[in-house]
Amino acid sequence: MTLPRVVAAKAAQYALVLWVAATLNFLLPHLAPGDPVQYLYGGEALGLSPEAAQQVRAGYGLDRPLPEQYLAFWGGLLRGDLGRSVQFNRPVVDVLAEYLPWTVALVGGATVLALIVGVGLGAWAAWNRGRRRDAGTVAGVLVLDSMPGFWIGMILIAVFAVGLGWFPSYGAAAIDAEGAAWLADAVQRTVLPATTLALATFGGFFLLTRAAMVTVLDEPFVRLARAKGVPEGRIARHHALRTALLPVWTNLSLVLGTLLSGAVVVETVFAYPGLGRLIFDAVSARDHPLLQGAFLLVTLGIVVANAFADLSYPLLDPRVRTAGASS
């Protein structure tokens, strides 16, 4: 199969995944119990008459049949219109654009930190396989990996925010700061939530790197390198680790989904104004348009990451290119 056909087939698969995901994103909020109008305006308890509630509901299109809302949802989606948030009374696109950069900074920092610590520690443990330091590291990582993210976050707040006072425990940036002072404050407030996310997810990188590298260390080309007198450090970095990183690269796109779901909890614990906190507030307010837009954005990010890993893998592994050329 030629490269254009492979790309076309992959694009069709991911388009189908996006259609299914968007349909589920539309249906799930409508299947959940609760009425956004009753939640926001209090209904009859706060003096909102049934006629006024019906007018508000009609203003957001919530009074129309579900199939009609579904067609309107896709019509708006194709025009880049995700509807109007019931909670914020603003276009959903504008609300998402306001919260998205904070989540990108948080998840991006946590991914880099988890990748560096997980791969580095996994390679070190594999190089020392069978020794006490390897067993102790594996046991420690498994214990840490079993802890829930919110618990790790509360421990970090108790130690580094309340006890030592090194970092703020909430928010993303000081309101009254500007320029370099604002940036420094934003970085300082991102340290604890990003560290929490990284500690809760780096175990996957560690275990995968260690398992892959232990397998690679027994390969004939590594034994040949040792027989040729190649230094051990060069064997570890240029022969074993580079080969072991291939499955880690593939796993990176899968971990992104874990990080985004973990961001919901971590951003809530640290009162961090990202997409996770926004989804939590939208669920509480039964804000269907905002929930659909936020879920769709998260799904799109995961699909794009998977597509990027899928298409870049043949460039990194010559065996895949050879297999594709011979088929």
Side-chain angles (χ1 to χ4, degrees):
M1 185 179 290
T2 60
L3 182 61
R5 286 191 175 185
V6 172
V7 174
K10 293 290 183 184
Q13 292 176 4
Y14 284 114
L16 178 62
V17 170
L18 277 178
W19 173 73
V20 173
T23 301
L24 290 176
N25 288 344
F26 169 80
L27 290 176
L28 289 178
H30 286 81
L31 296 176
D35 183 347
V37 176
Q38 293 293 330
Y39 177 84
L40 288 177
Y41 295 92
E44 296 179 358
L46 294 182
L48 186 68
S49 66
E51 293 77 12
Q54 184 62 23
Q55 289 180 358
V56 174
R57 196 172 287 108
Y60 288 101
L62 299 174
D63 62 331
R64 292 188 285 180
L66 196 60
E68 192 174 332
Q69 291 188 46
Y70 180 69
L71 292 177
F73 167 73
W74 271 104
L77 201 60
L78 294 176
R79 298 192 306 273
D81 181 10
L82 297 177
R84 195 172 187 82
S85 168
V86 178
Q87 182 184 6
F88 293 91
N89 195 23
R90 293 168 53 198
V92 170
V93 174
D94 292 348
V95 178
L96 294 179
E98 181 181 329
Y99 283 75
L100 178 62
W102 294 110
T103 293
V104 171
L106 175 62
V107 173
T111 303
V112 172
L113 186 59
L115 197 59
I116 293 174
V117 176
V119 170
L121 205 57
W124 180 83
W127 194 254
N128 294 280
R129 65 188 187 281
R131 301 178 183 174
R132 288 185 178 179
R133 64 187 72 171
D134 173 36
T137 304
V138 172
V141 171
L142 289 178
V143 169
L144 190 60
D145 197 47
S146 63
M147 294 181 182
F150 74 90
W151 200 62
I152 297 175
M154 292 175 67
I155 292 177
L156 293 183
I157 289 175
V159 176
F160 295 101
V162 179
L164 299 175
W166 290 355
F167 302 100
S169 61
Y170 66 94
I175 299 176
D176 55 349
E178 295 180 355
W182 180 90
L183 181 61
D185 187 68
V187 171
Q188 192 179 23
R189 290 172 186 268
T190 307
V191 169
L192 286 186
T195 303
T196 301
L197 263 182
L199 289 176
T201 53
F202 90 99
F205 290 126
F206 168 82
L207 294 174
L208 192 59
T209 303
R210 183 187 177 279
M213 196 161 168
V214 164
T215 303
V216 171
L217 287 174
D218 291 331
E219 293 287 339
F221 71 90
V222 174
R223 294 199 296 270
L224 176 61
R226 284 202 173 100
K228 291 167 66 176
V230 177
E232 290 293 310
R234 185 174 178 80
I235 291 176
R237 292 191 301 272
H238 296 275
H239 291 74
L241 183 57
R242 288 179 64 178
T243 307
L245 284 179
L246 288 173
V248 175
W249 174 254
T250 306
N251 190 58
L252 182 61
S253 59
L254 303 177
V255 172
L256 182 62
T258 306
L259 283 166
L260 288 172
S261 60
V264 177
V265 176
V266 172
E267 289 179 1
T268 303
V269 170
F270 287 92
Y272 195 85
L275 281 182
R277 177 66 185 274
L278 185 66
I279 290 174
F280 177 82
D281 292 340
V283 170
S284 303
R286 315 294 194 272
D287 193 342
H288 295 174
L290 187 55
L291 266 180
Q292 292 163 359
F295 283 151
L296 185 64
L297 188 60
V298 171
T299 304
L300 185 62
I302 295 174
V303 170
V304 169
N306 276 276
F308 181 72
D310 202 8
L311 294 176
S312 63
Y313 199 79
L315 302 176
L316 301 175
D317 192 348
R319 295 170 297 182
V320 177
R321 290 200 301 271
T322 304
S326 60
S327 62

